[in-house]
Amino acid sequence: MSRPRIVLTRRWPAAVEQRLAERYEVVVNEDDHPLSPAELRDALMSADAVLTTVSDRIDAEVLAVDAPRAKVLVNYGVGFNHIDVAAATARGIVVTNTPDVLTDCTADLALTLMLMIARRAGEGEREVRAGAWSGWRPTHLVGSRVSGKILGLIGMGRIGRAVARRAQFGFGMQVLYFNRSPVPASELEGLDARACHSVEEVLARADFVSLHCPGGVTNRHLINRERLAHMQRHAFLINTARGDVVDEAALAWALTNGIIAGAGLDVYEAEPHVNEDLLALPNVVLLPHLGSATEETRVGMGLRAMQNLDAFFDGRTPPDRVA
Ligand code: DGY
Protein backbone atom coordinates (compact mmCIF):
# COMPACT_ATOMS: atom_id res chain seq x y z
CA MET A 1 0.00 0.00 0.00
CA SER A 2 1.38 3.43 -0.90
CA ARG A 3 2.22 5.80 1.91
CA PRO A 4 -0.01 8.86 2.45
CA ARG A 5 1.50 11.94 0.86
CA ILE A 6 1.72 14.93 3.19
CA VAL A 7 2.81 18.52 2.55
CA LEU A 8 4.56 20.44 5.32
CA THR A 9 3.93 24.10 4.53
CA ARG A 10 6.92 25.18 6.70
CA ARG A 11 10.04 23.47 8.08
CA TRP A 12 9.40 21.61 11.34
CA PRO A 13 11.94 20.56 14.00
CA ALA A 14 14.29 18.05 12.35
CA ALA A 15 13.47 15.28 14.85
CA VAL A 16 9.77 15.50 13.97
CA GLU A 17 10.37 15.70 10.21
CA GLN A 18 12.40 12.48 10.55
CA ARG A 19 9.60 10.74 12.46
CA LEU A 20 7.07 11.82 9.83
CA ALA A 21 9.26 10.44 7.05
CA GLU A 22 9.10 6.95 8.63
CA ARG A 23 5.39 6.65 7.84
CA TYR A 24 4.56 9.25 5.22
CA GLU A 25 5.77 10.51 1.87
CA VAL A 26 6.74 13.98 3.07
CA VAL A 27 6.90 17.01 0.77
CA VAL A 28 9.04 19.64 2.49
CA ASN A 29 9.17 23.37 1.78
CA GLU A 30 12.98 23.32 1.47
CA ASP A 31 13.63 27.07 1.74
CA ASP A 32 10.84 27.59 4.31
CA HIS A 33 9.14 30.44 2.45
CA PRO A 34 5.53 31.35 3.28
CA LEU A 35 3.36 29.55 0.72
CA SER A 36 1.32 31.63 -1.72
CA PRO A 37 -2.41 30.95 -2.20
CA ALA A 38 -1.54 29.13 -5.45
CA GLU A 39 0.97 26.91 -3.65
CA LEU A 40 -1.56 26.16 -0.90
CA ARG A 41 -4.15 25.21 -3.51
CA ASP A 42 -1.59 22.97 -5.17
CA ALA A 43 -0.87 21.31 -1.79
CA LEU A 44 -4.60 20.67 -1.25
CA MET A 45 -4.88 19.05 -4.67
CA SER A 46 -1.70 16.96 -4.56
CA ALA A 47 -1.48 15.66 -0.97
CA ASP A 48 -3.60 13.52 1.35
CA ALA A 49 -2.89 15.86 4.27
CA VAL A 50 -1.62 19.44 4.52
CA LEU A 51 0.28 20.32 7.69
CA THR A 52 -0.33 24.02 8.16
CA THR A 53 0.87 26.83 10.43
CA VAL A 54 -0.25 30.34 11.34
CA SER A 55 1.57 31.72 8.29
CA ASP A 56 -0.82 29.93 5.88
CA ARG A 57 -4.01 31.75 5.01
CA ILE A 58 -6.40 28.89 4.24
CA ASP A 59 -9.50 30.89 3.36
CA ALA A 60 -12.63 29.92 1.44
CA GLU A 61 -10.99 30.94 -1.84
CA VAL A 62 -7.99 28.66 -1.30
CA LEU A 63 -10.32 25.85 -0.22
CA ALA A 64 -12.45 26.29 -3.34
CA VAL A 65 -10.09 24.07 -5.37
CA ASP A 66 -11.77 21.83 -7.92
CA ALA A 67 -10.90 18.48 -6.45
CA PRO A 68 -9.14 18.58 -3.08
CA ARG A 69 -7.18 15.37 -2.51
CA ALA A 70 -6.43 16.44 1.08
CA LYS A 71 -8.93 15.22 3.62
CA VAL A 72 -7.25 16.69 6.71
CA LEU A 73 -5.55 19.97 7.68
CA VAL A 74 -3.23 19.26 10.59
CA ASN A 75 -2.38 22.61 12.09
CA TYR A 76 0.92 23.08 13.92
CA GLY A 77 -0.34 25.53 16.57
CA VAL A 78 -3.25 25.95 18.92
CA GLY A 79 -4.80 29.00 17.19
CA PHE A 80 -6.54 28.22 13.92
CA ASN A 81 -8.20 31.48 12.93
CA HIS A 82 -6.07 31.47 9.74
CA ILE A 83 -8.19 28.53 8.53
CA ASP A 84 -11.77 29.02 7.36
CA VAL A 85 -13.05 26.06 9.33
CA ALA A 86 -16.61 26.31 7.99
CA ALA A 87 -15.31 26.24 4.41
CA ALA A 88 -13.05 23.27 5.23
CA THR A 89 -15.96 21.38 6.79
CA ALA A 90 -18.12 22.13 3.76
CA ARG A 91 -15.43 20.47 1.63
CA GLY A 92 -15.33 17.45 3.94
CA ILE A 93 -11.89 18.36 5.30
CA VAL A 94 -11.09 17.63 8.96
CA VAL A 95 -9.11 20.26 10.92
CA THR A 96 -6.92 19.62 14.00
CA ASN A 97 -4.71 21.78 16.25
CA THR A 98 -2.10 21.36 19.03
CA PRO A 99 -3.44 22.51 22.41
CA ASP A 100 -1.75 22.04 25.83
CA VAL A 101 1.85 21.60 24.69
CA LEU A 102 2.46 25.34 24.29
CA THR A 103 0.54 26.58 27.33
CA ASP A 104 3.49 27.05 29.69
CA CYS A 105 5.86 28.65 27.19
CA THR A 106 3.21 31.07 25.93
CA ALA A 107 2.36 32.03 29.52
CA ASP A 108 6.07 32.54 30.22
CA LEU A 109 6.26 34.90 27.27
CA ALA A 110 3.27 36.93 28.48
CA LEU A 111 5.13 37.42 31.76
CA THR A 112 8.30 38.29 29.83
CA LEU A 113 6.40 41.07 28.04
CA MET A 114 4.85 42.34 31.27
CA LEU A 115 8.24 42.59 32.91
CA MET A 116 9.93 44.05 29.84
CA ILE A 117 7.45 46.84 29.32
CA ALA A 118 6.92 47.70 32.99
CA ARG A 119 10.66 47.68 33.76
CA ARG A 120 11.60 49.39 30.49
CA ALA A 121 13.92 46.52 29.56
CA GLY A 122 13.65 47.15 25.80
CA GLU A 123 14.57 50.80 26.18
CA GLY A 124 17.46 49.88 28.48
CA GLU A 125 18.81 47.24 26.14
CA ARG A 126 18.70 49.61 23.18
CA GLU A 127 20.53 52.26 25.22
CA VAL A 128 23.34 49.91 26.26
CA ARG A 129 23.82 48.60 22.72
CA ALA A 130 23.87 52.14 21.34
CA GLY A 131 26.72 53.02 23.74
CA ALA A 132 24.44 55.69 25.23
CA TRP A 133 24.38 54.51 28.87
CA SER A 134 26.07 57.11 31.05
CA GLY A 135 25.89 55.13 34.32
CA TRP A 136 23.65 54.53 37.34
CA ARG A 137 21.55 57.41 38.63
CA PRO A 138 18.39 57.56 40.77
CA THR A 139 16.23 58.86 37.96
CA HIS A 140 17.40 56.58 35.16
CA LEU A 141 14.79 54.53 33.23
CA VAL A 142 12.44 54.33 36.17
CA GLY A 143 9.60 51.92 35.43
CA SER A 144 6.63 50.42 37.24
CA ARG A 145 6.60 47.68 39.84
CA VAL A 146 4.96 44.43 38.74
CA SER A 147 4.79 42.53 42.05
CA GLY A 148 1.54 43.02 43.96
CA LYS A 149 -0.29 44.77 41.11
CA ILE A 150 -3.65 43.86 39.57
CA LEU A 151 -3.60 41.62 36.50
CA GLY A 152 -6.70 41.53 34.31
CA LEU A 153 -7.08 38.61 31.91
CA ILE A 154 -9.37 38.61 28.89
CA GLY A 155 -9.93 34.91 28.29
CA MET A 156 -9.44 32.32 31.03
CA GLY A 157 -8.66 29.20 29.02
CA ARG A 158 -5.53 27.11 29.49
CA ILE A 159 -3.08 29.90 28.73
CA GLY A 160 -4.99 32.54 30.70
CA ARG A 161 -4.96 30.27 33.75
CA ALA A 162 -1.24 29.53 33.34
CA VAL A 163 -0.55 33.28 33.28
CA ALA A 164 -2.76 33.73 36.35
CA ARG A 165 -0.81 31.07 38.28
CA ARG A 166 2.51 32.71 37.51
CA ALA A 167 1.18 36.15 38.41
CA GLN A 168 -0.50 35.09 41.66
CA PHE A 169 2.03 32.62 43.02
CA GLY A 170 5.17 34.17 41.54
CA PHE A 171 4.46 37.88 41.74
CA GLY A 172 1.76 38.13 44.41
CA MET A 173 -0.59 39.78 41.92
CA GLN A 174 -4.34 40.00 42.33
CA VAL A 175 -6.04 38.38 39.32
CA LEU A 176 -9.28 39.48 37.66
CA TYR A 177 -10.67 37.98 34.50
CA PHE A 178 -13.43 38.06 31.95
CA ASN A 179 -14.35 34.85 30.16
CA ARG A 180 -17.35 34.49 27.87
CA SER A 181 -18.52 31.31 29.59
CA PRO A 182 -18.28 30.69 33.35
CA VAL A 183 -15.07 28.94 34.45
CA PRO A 184 -15.80 26.00 36.81
CA ALA A 185 -14.04 26.30 40.18
CA SER A 186 -12.32 22.95 39.52
CA GLU A 187 -10.49 24.52 36.59
CA LEU A 188 -9.17 27.39 38.72
CA GLU A 189 -7.04 24.90 40.71
CA GLY A 190 -6.48 26.98 43.83
CA LEU A 191 -6.27 30.30 42.02
CA ASP A 192 -7.82 33.23 43.81
CA ALA A 193 -9.05 34.83 40.58
CA ARG A 194 -12.15 37.01 40.47
CA ALA A 195 -14.55 36.88 37.52
CA CYS A 196 -15.69 40.25 36.11
CA HIS A 197 -18.96 40.87 34.30
CA SER A 198 -17.48 42.56 31.24
CA VAL A 199 -14.31 43.26 29.33
CA GLU A 200 -14.74 46.91 30.33
CA GLU A 201 -14.70 46.04 34.03
CA VAL A 202 -11.37 44.24 33.65
CA LEU A 203 -9.93 47.12 31.63
CA ALA A 204 -11.00 49.71 34.18
CA ARG A 205 -9.58 47.86 37.20
CA ALA A 206 -6.36 46.24 36.03
CA ASP A 207 -2.81 47.60 36.10
CA PHE A 208 -1.86 45.00 33.48
CA VAL A 209 -4.31 43.60 30.93
CA SER A 210 -3.26 40.39 29.17
CA LEU A 211 -5.22 38.97 26.23
CA HIS A 212 -5.85 35.22 26.01
CA CYS A 213 -8.93 34.93 23.81
CA PRO A 214 -9.06 33.45 20.29
CA GLY A 215 -8.66 35.62 17.22
CA GLY A 216 -11.01 35.62 14.25
CA VAL A 217 -14.29 37.30 13.44
CA THR A 218 -15.82 37.27 16.96
CA ASN A 219 -12.94 39.02 18.68
CA ARG A 220 -11.65 41.19 15.82
CA HIS A 221 -10.70 44.60 17.28
CA LEU A 222 -12.12 43.65 20.67
CA ILE A 223 -9.56 46.14 21.96
CA ASN A 224 -10.43 49.32 20.10
CA ARG A 225 -10.24 53.04 20.87
CA GLU A 226 -13.33 52.99 23.02
CA ARG A 227 -12.16 50.08 25.14
CA LEU A 228 -8.59 51.40 25.43
CA ALA A 229 -10.11 54.56 26.89
CA HIS A 230 -11.53 52.41 29.74
CA MET A 231 -8.00 51.47 30.82
CA GLN A 232 -6.11 53.38 33.48
CA ARG A 233 -3.43 55.80 32.32
CA HIS A 234 -0.70 53.91 34.17
CA ALA A 235 -1.83 50.51 32.79
CA PHE A 236 -0.16 48.18 30.29
CA LEU A 237 -1.67 45.98 27.56
CA ILE A 238 -0.09 42.61 26.73
CA ASN A 239 -1.01 40.55 23.65
CA THR A 240 0.29 37.02 23.08
CA ALA A 241 -3.05 35.81 21.64
CA ARG A 242 -3.79 36.98 18.09
CA GLY A 243 -2.99 40.29 16.42
CA ASP A 244 -6.49 40.92 15.11
CA VAL A 245 -7.87 41.14 18.67
CA VAL A 246 -6.25 44.59 18.91
CA ASP A 247 -6.90 47.52 16.58
CA GLU A 248 -3.26 48.50 16.10
CA ALA A 249 -4.04 52.02 14.90
CA ALA A 250 -6.13 52.60 18.04
CA LEU A 251 -3.33 51.19 20.19
CA ALA A 252 -0.77 53.52 18.60
CA TRP A 253 -3.16 56.42 19.32
CA ALA A 254 -3.53 55.33 22.98
CA LEU A 255 0.22 54.97 23.46
CA THR A 256 0.99 58.29 21.79
CA ASN A 257 -1.61 60.23 23.75
CA GLY A 258 -0.98 58.79 27.21
CA ILE A 259 -4.30 56.94 27.31
CA ILE A 260 -2.32 53.91 28.57
CA ALA A 261 1.31 53.67 29.73
CA GLY A 262 2.62 50.94 27.47
CA ALA A 263 2.11 47.68 25.62
CA GLY A 264 3.90 44.41 25.02
CA LEU A 265 3.05 42.62 21.78
CA ASP A 266 4.02 39.24 20.36
CA VAL A 267 1.36 39.11 17.63
CA TYR A 268 0.19 41.53 14.93
CA GLU A 269 -2.76 42.17 12.67
CA ALA A 270 -0.93 41.46 9.39
CA GLU A 271 2.18 39.46 10.32
CA PRO A 272 5.01 39.90 9.58
CA HIS A 273 4.06 43.54 8.93
CA VAL A 274 4.16 45.72 12.04
CA ASN A 275 2.26 49.00 12.18
CA GLU A 276 4.73 51.84 11.41
CA ASP A 277 3.42 54.04 14.22
CA LEU A 278 4.03 51.29 16.77
CA LEU A 279 7.56 50.77 15.47
CA ALA A 280 8.35 54.41 16.22
CA LEU A 281 7.11 54.37 19.84
CA PRO A 282 9.42 53.76 22.84
CA ASN A 283 6.62 52.58 25.16
CA VAL A 284 5.87 49.35 23.36
CA VAL A 285 7.86 46.10 23.37
CA LEU A 286 7.59 44.25 20.05
CA LEU A 287 8.48 40.57 19.75
CA PRO A 288 8.22 38.44 16.57
CA HIS A 289 5.52 35.88 17.54
CA LEU A 290 7.75 33.91 19.92
CA GLY A 291 5.08 32.55 22.30
CA SER A 292 5.74 28.87 21.67
CA ALA A 293 9.31 29.27 20.45
CA THR A 294 11.28 26.90 22.69
CA GLU A 295 12.95 23.69 21.55
CA GLU A 296 10.83 21.64 23.96
CA THR A 297 7.55 23.17 22.89
CA ARG A 298 8.18 23.24 19.15
CA VAL A 299 9.08 19.53 19.22
CA GLY A 300 6.05 18.90 21.45
CA MET A 301 3.81 20.69 18.96
CA GLY A 302 5.19 18.59 16.12
CA LEU A 303 4.64 15.33 18.01
CA ARG A 304 1.12 16.40 18.99
CA ALA A 305 0.33 17.24 15.37
CA MET A 306 1.71 13.84 14.39
CA GLN A 307 -0.64 12.10 16.86
CA ASN A 308 -3.54 13.77 15.07
CA LEU A 309 -2.19 12.82 11.66
CA ASP A 310 -1.60 9.20 12.69
CA ALA A 311 -5.07 8.93 14.22
CA PHE A 312 -6.64 10.24 11.02
CA PHE A 313 -4.80 7.73 8.81
CA ASP A 314 -5.48 4.91 11.28
CA GLY A 315 -9.20 5.64 10.86
CA ARG A 316 -9.58 7.02 14.41
CA THR A 317 -10.94 10.44 15.45
CA PRO A 318 -7.93 12.75 15.85
CA PRO A 319 -7.66 13.73 19.55
CA ASP A 320 -7.48 17.45 18.75
CA ARG A 321 -10.11 17.63 16.05
CA VAL A 322 -11.59 21.15 15.96
CA ALA A 323 -13.83 20.57 12.95
C1 DGY B 1 -0.27 29.06 18.17
O1 DGY B 1 -0.02 27.91 18.50
O2 DGY B 1 -1.42 29.48 18.06
C2 DGY B 1 0.90 29.94 17.89
O3 DGY B 1 0.54 31.28 17.97
C3 DGY B 1 1.46 29.64 16.51
O4 DGY B 1 0.42 29.49 15.63
Side-chain angles (χ1 to χ4, degrees):
M1 207 175 79
S2 68
R3 301 191 301 166
R5 180 181 162 89
I6 65 172
V7 167
L8 261 68
T9 63
R10 303 305 297 258
R11 295 311 301 259
W12 285 22
V16 187
E17 286 190 356
Q18 276 162 21
R19 295 266 301 263
L20 287 168
E22 287 166 17
R23 175 166 180 187
Y24 301 97
E25 181 196 337
V26 184
V27 180
V28 171
N29 172 1
E30 290 293 349
D31 66 359
D32 203 16
H33 67 283
L35 296 194
S36 66
E39 288 172 305
L40 289 170
R41 277 193 285 270
D42 187 54
L44 285 166
M45 287 188 296
S46 60
D48 299 300
V50 182
L51 280 59
T52 60
T53 72
V54 67
S55 64
D56 305 312
R57 195 168 173 68
I58 318 272
D59 55 19
E61 223 171 292
V62 164
L63 285 160
V65 286
D66 276 346
R69 171 170 163 185
K71 291 287 171 277
V72 62
L73 295 175
V74 173
N75 189 54
Y76 180 101
V78 67
F80 52 88
N81 63 315
H82 52 285
I83 300 174
D84 186 330
V85 166
T89 305
R91 307 275 357 230
I93 300 174
V94 167
V95 181
T96 68
N97 72 344
T98 58
D100 298 324
V101 280
L102 43 70
T103 300
D104 282 331
C105 285
T106 307
D108 290 349
L109 200 86
L111 268 295
T112 303
L113 284 170
M114 277 170 58
L115 290 164
M116 282 186 76
I117 188 59
R119 300 302 307 275
R120 306 181 65 176
E123 287 176 82
E125 224 251 353
R126 287 194 290 278
E127 188 179 280
V128 172
R129 285 185 186 276
W133 181 35
S134 60
W136 193 92
R137 55 199 188 277
T139 56
H140 182 224
L141 283 181
V142 173
S144 300
R145 184 182 159 115
V146 174
S147 296
K149 294 282 179 71
I150 299 178
L151 170 65
L153 301 168
I154 310 291
M156 198 58 164
R158 299 180 192 84
I159 299 174
R161 296 197 299 273
V163 172
R165 280 197 296 278
R166 285 157 174 73
Q168 183 181 318
F169 301 123
F171 292 89
M173 297 178 88
Q174 187 187 326
V175 179
L176 309 172
Y177 68 92
F178 174 78
N179 197 60
R180 223 171 312 160
S181 50
V183 181
S186 59
E187 285 189 12
L188 290 176
E189 295 163 346
L191 274 170
D192 182 20
R194 235 174 305 145
C196 292
H197 296 295
S198 63
V199 170
E200 285 77 6
E201 187 185 346
V202 174
L203 298 179
R205 293 174 59 187
D207 301 308
F208 293 84
V209 173
S210 191
L211 305 175
H212 300 288
C213 52
V217 187
T218 327
N219 290 330
R220 186 178 146 71
H221 290 185
L222 179 81
I223 303 300
N224 53 21
R225 256 197 196 220
E226 202 191 348
R227 289 218 171 87
L228 285 162
H230 279 82
M231 288 177 67
Q232 306 186 67
R233 286 186 174 261
H234 68 264
F236 299 94
L237 178 74
I238 307 299
N239 190 7
T240 53
R242 277 293 180 264
D244 59 359
V245 178
V246 177
D247 176 346
E248 282 172 3
L251 178 61
W253 161 82
L255 292 168
T256 307
N257 293 289
I259 307 298
I260 66 171
L265 306 178
D266 188 43
V267 287
Y268 304 89
E269 281 194 72
E271 296 180 12
H273 171 79
V274 178
N275 178 297
E276 300 291 332
D277 295 335
L278 290 177
L279 284 172
L281 287 169
N283 54 343
V284 56
V285 171
L286 304 166
L287 296 183
H289 204 146
L290 295 179
S292 60
T294 63
E295 180 67 22
E296 296 88 340
T297 291
R298 290 286 164 88
V299 170
M301 290 163 74
L303 296 177
R304 183 89 177 213
M306 200 173 152
Q307 284 171 12
N308 285 299
L309 188 71
D310 288 347
F312 182 84
F313 285 107
D314 288 344
R316 293 178 282 118
T317 303
D320 305 312
R321 180 173 180 169
V322 295

